Amino acid sequence: MQNSFRNFGQTSPYRTTDQLNFTLQNDSVYDIDEDDDIEWLTRPDEWNDDVRMNALFAPFRNRDINPLHYDNKIKFWKQTILSICTEKQIFQFDQKKLENLFTRKGKKPKCLELVINELLSEKSICTREECLKPKTGMLANMLNKLVWSPLSWSASYFFRASNSNGNSSSTFYATSFTPKSPKPNMERSFSCQSPIKELDLKSYVLPDLVEAKSQEILKKLQSTVIYRNVDCILEYDRLLELLAELVDEQDLAFILKYLEINQKILIVASKELDRTLVKFCFGKNDRVAPLNQIEESYIKLKDAQNKLELESGKLSSQIDGLNRDIRDQMKAGNKSSALKVLKKRKQLEKSLDSKENILHNIETMMMSIQQADTNKTTVDVLTKGASALKEANRGINIDQIDDTICEIQDIYNQNNEIEETLARSPMNGKSVFDDRELNDELNQLLSQENDRVDSTFNMDDLLNNLPSIPNDTPRKTGLEASSSLVF
């Protein structure tokens, strides 16, 4: 990849708290080398075709000459602009930046102005000014569409007609008169001023991309919350650290302004605390509220805690140094000097003990404030659980439950009796056959089996009972031997 997107996806170092004056200049939205060709994953196939790209880079002609080419060219550039902005997370741009962005072999497209107007008309992009307008509610939109817009048109028509007939006086007639719908009451009740300066509103943004990134930032901030009553406030430097991997500084300025306008965050530049704080809403559909007394008290306690910890660390270092001085004085034999240093160490130790006691009290108070949120949540959950259980048990009568249990027990006992009756043999439980007769027959069968075994032919016993043959008996020929075997 060339230098075109060398800075895309990388985080630039943020400025410190005393440099919070954000400025978004048109000439520094993106640092792009005009002589480099762009490279991106969603590059269209036409980009490698010189003939096709020369036609696409040329200015638009009259649509009546070739409507098909005109529409395809519009469609190509709209898809290309939206795809690369989504892939590279380009939130804001202007025509000059787009021309530099799409530089190809030293050539820039000469047709982007018309494409930008098309994107504006279909609401795929909008100006920064339009994007930073507060979102109105559903009721306000319905009033604008159903009441004020028809009223505006009717009033304008009436005054134009009156003027044409010469019946209206100059007192009531104005050529530029157009009734406007009342603006929704979006004024924030914040008493603080945001440190973000007004932004340059001449460039364009992708509203869907801005909304998605703003929700991602809110989700990232809300993931740090443990106790809702105190953890929805961060120092500005801490916020920059958390969001460094999500968005760069220039885009962060715009998105923070977008979130502030829509009452999702509140940026407080506190002179008393000499730093900038950011409060954000916790729920997805919630709006951020001004700092309340609990939050202000917790912030001051936390500041006191940090200050006491710092002072305690300094005192501990001083005490360690005095201990070394005491040992050195004792080795040198300066007992009186060592005694003076020892007294000074005692005073510091007393001061350190006092600060540690105060620090312990502050930490206990902070833990109590944190626990108060947990207690409130627990009480709310128990209350809702009790209401749900009460609603679930509504319509259940205790007396009916007792009657049902007794009825179930009777049915169970009756079922056991039925099973015991079915398990018994017929004829009142007596067997059909006599046990003595069965035993006699069984013994008889057993004796018959034993006799059959005894009468079985045994070849081994037969061979053993054969008479022996004398040794002096003359050997018979084969024919004689075979004939002798005939019985």
Side-chain angles (χ1 to χ4, degrees):
M1 183 180 292
Q2 285 84 6
N3 297 330
S4 300
F5 290 99
R6 186 176 301 136
N7 295 330
F8 286 118
Q10 299 180 0
T11 56
S12 58
Y14 290 111
R15 291 172 285 186
T16 56
T17 306
D18 55 350
Q19 296 174 329
L20 292 177
N21 296 326
F22 289 101
T23 55
L24 294 182
Q25 300 298 332
N26 259 350
D27 296 336
S28 62
V29 174
Y30 292 101
D31 188 10
I32 301 172
D33 193 345
E34 298 181 3
D35 296 331
D36 289 341
D37 290 344
I38 187 174
E39 291 187 6
W40 75 99
L41 297 177
T42 56
R43 170 185 288 184
D45 296 336
E46 295 89 342
W47 197 264
N48 297 324
D49 188 346
D50 292 339
V51 177
R52 176 63 174 160
M53 292 310 299
N54 288 335
L56 291 174
F57 270 47
F60 280 95
R61 297 182 179 180
N62 192 343
R63 187 178 183 276
D64 296 335
I65 298 176
N66 191 343
L68 181 61
H69 173 72
Y70 184 95
D71 295 339
N72 289 337
K73 187 174 181 179
I74 284 283
K75 181 179 179 181
F76 169 83
W77 278 114
K78 288 195 297 186
Q79 293 178 348
T80 302
I81 291 173
L82 295 178
S83 64
I84 191 173
C85 288
T86 302
E87 178 184 337
K88 300 297 182 181
Q89 296 290 288
I90 303 175
F91 298 96
Q92 44 200 344
F93 56 86
D94 56 13
Q95 181 177 343
K96 180 180 178 182
K97 297 306 173 183
L98 285 182
E99 291 175 355
N100 294 335
L101 188 65
F102 293 112
T103 299
R104 181 183 181 274
K105 296 183 179 181
K107 297 181 179 180
K108 300 179 181 179
K110 304 298 183 182
C111 55
L112 295 185
E113 182 178 0
L114 182 60
V115 178
I116 291 175
N117 291 332
E118 287 289 330
L119 291 173
L120 284 172
S121 63
E122 64 184 25
K123 305 297 182 181
S124 296
I125 65 174
C126 64
T127 63
R128 294 183 187 177
E129 182 180 9
E130 184 70 22
C131 186
L132 292 180
K133 288 183 179 180
K135 295 180 180 179
T136 58
M138 183 182 299
L139 181 60
N141 289 331
M142 292 178 61
L143 288 175
N144 287 334
K145 292 181 180 180
L146 301 178
V147 178
W148 291 105
S149 294
L151 181 61
S152 173
W153 181 87
S154 301
S156 301
Y157 179 81
F158 169 75
F159 282 109
R160 285 197 300 270
S162 300
N163 182 56
S164 61
N165 296 330
N167 297 329
S168 63
S169 63
S170 59
T171 305
F172 295 99
Y173 173 70
T175 57
S176 60
F177 174 81
T178 303
K180 296 183 179 180
S181 60
K183 296 182 179 180
N185 185 17
M186 301 296 291
E187 296 294 334
R188 299 188 299 275
S189 59
F190 308 151
S191 59
C192 60
Q193 295 293 331
S194 169
I196 301 179
K197 288 185 176 181
E198 293 298 326
L199 305 177
D200 185 4
L201 304 177
K202 297 179 182 180
S203 296
Y204 308 104
V205 297
L206 274 73
D208 294 339
L209 194 59
V210 172
E211 177 65 21
K213 183 58 67 172
S214 65
Q215 293 299 325
E216 184 180 359
I217 287 176
L218 273 180
K219 186 176 180 180
K220 179 68 174 180
L221 295 177
Q222 292 168 358
S223 65
T224 63
V225 175
I226 300 177
Y227 305 101
R228 296 188 190 182
N229 58 341
V230 292
D231 287 347
C232 289
I233 302 174
L234 292 175
E235 292 188 8
Y236 197 86
D237 294 337
R238 173 58 179 162
L239 179 137
L240 297 181
E241 294 176 3
L242 287 174
L243 305 180
E245 298 180 355
L246 295 181
V247 63
D248 60 24
E249 182 182 5
Q250 294 173 347
D251 289 332
L252 179 63
F254 180 79
I255 293 177
L256 289 180
K257 191 71 176 179
Y258 175 82
L259 290 172
E260 186 184 26
I261 290 295
N262 290 285
Q263 302 185 30
K264 297 298 182 180
I265 66 170
L266 170 64
I267 302 179
V268 184
S270 175
K271 296 181 180 179
E272 181 181 0
L273 302 177
D274 193 22
R275 66 176 183 275
T276 302
L277 302 174
V278 178
K279 181 181 179 182
F280 53 89
C281 62
F282 186 79
K284 181 178 180 181
N285 299 322
D286 295 341
R287 293 183 178 180
V288 66
L291 294 179
N292 54 40
Q293 185 177 1
I294 296 176
E295 293 167 340
E296 292 178 357
S297 301
Y298 186 83
I299 292 172
K300 292 179 180 180
L301 287 173
K302 195 170 185 179
D303 288 341
Q305 179 190 24
N306 296 333
K307 183 178 180 181
L308 287 172
E309 288 177 349
L310 181 62
E311 293 178 354
S312 298
K314 291 181 179 180
L315 287 176
S316 298
S317 299
Q318 292 179 6
I319 291 173
D320 293 339
L322 292 178
N323 287 331
R324 290 192 296 269
D325 292 343
I326 291 173
R327 287 194 295 269
D328 294 340
Q329 294 294 338
M330 292 298 295
K331 290 179 181 179
N334 297 329
K335 186 176 180 180
S336 59
S337 299
L339 184 61
K340 293 180 181 179
V341 177
L342 180 60
K343 291 180 179 180
K344 185 176 181 180
R345 191 199 70 178
K346 290 292 185 182
Q347 293 177 351
L348 292 180
E349 288 178 346
K350 184 178 180 181
S351 178
L352 179 61
D353 292 338
S354 176
K355 291 184 181 298
E356 288 181 348
N357 291 332
I358 297 174
L359 182 60
H360 175 72
N361 294 334
I362 290 177
E363 291 175 348
T364 303
M365 182 65 67
M366 293 176 64
M367 293 178 62
S368 299
I369 295 175
Q370 294 173 351
Q371 189 64 31
D373 180 69
T374 304
N375 295 338
K376 182 178 181 299
T377 303
T378 303
V379 172
D380 292 341
V381 170
L382 292 176
T383 302
K384 293 179 181 179
S387 300
L389 185 59
K390 183 178 180 180
E391 183 66 23
N393 292 331
R394 179 177 295 180
I396 299 177
N397 193 337
I398 301 298
D399 296 335
Q400 291 179 354
I401 295 176
D402 293 336
D403 295 340
T404 303
I405 295 297
C406 293
E407 185 178 356
I408 292 174
Q409 186 65 37
D410 294 340
I411 295 173
Y412 180 76
N413 295 334
Q414 184 180 2
N415 184 69
N416 289 338
E417 293 179 359
I418 294 173
E419 291 180 353
E420 292 176 358
T421 302
L422 293 176
R424 290 199 300 266
S425 299
M427 299 182 65
N428 296 326
K430 294 182 179 181
S431 177
V432 178
F433 305 100
D434 190 1
D435 292 340
R436 289 187 302 173
E437 294 177 357
L438 293 176
N439 288 329
D440 294 340
E441 185 177 354
L442 182 61
N443 292 331
Q444 184 180 359
L445 292 174
L446 183 60
S447 62
Q448 292 176 359
E449 180 68 19
N450 292 333
D451 295 340
R452 189 181 65 81
V453 173
D454 294 339
S455 62
T456 303
F457 178 76
N458 193 335
M459 182 60 71
D460 293 337
D461 295 341
L462 180 62
L463 293 175
N464 292 332
N465 295 328
L466 289 176
S468 59
I469 300 173
N471 295 331
D472 55 353
T473 303
R475 177 175 296 179
K476 297 181 180 181
T477 63
L479 181 60
E480 295 173 348
S482 61
S483 62
S484 64
L485 292 175
V486 179
F487 294 96

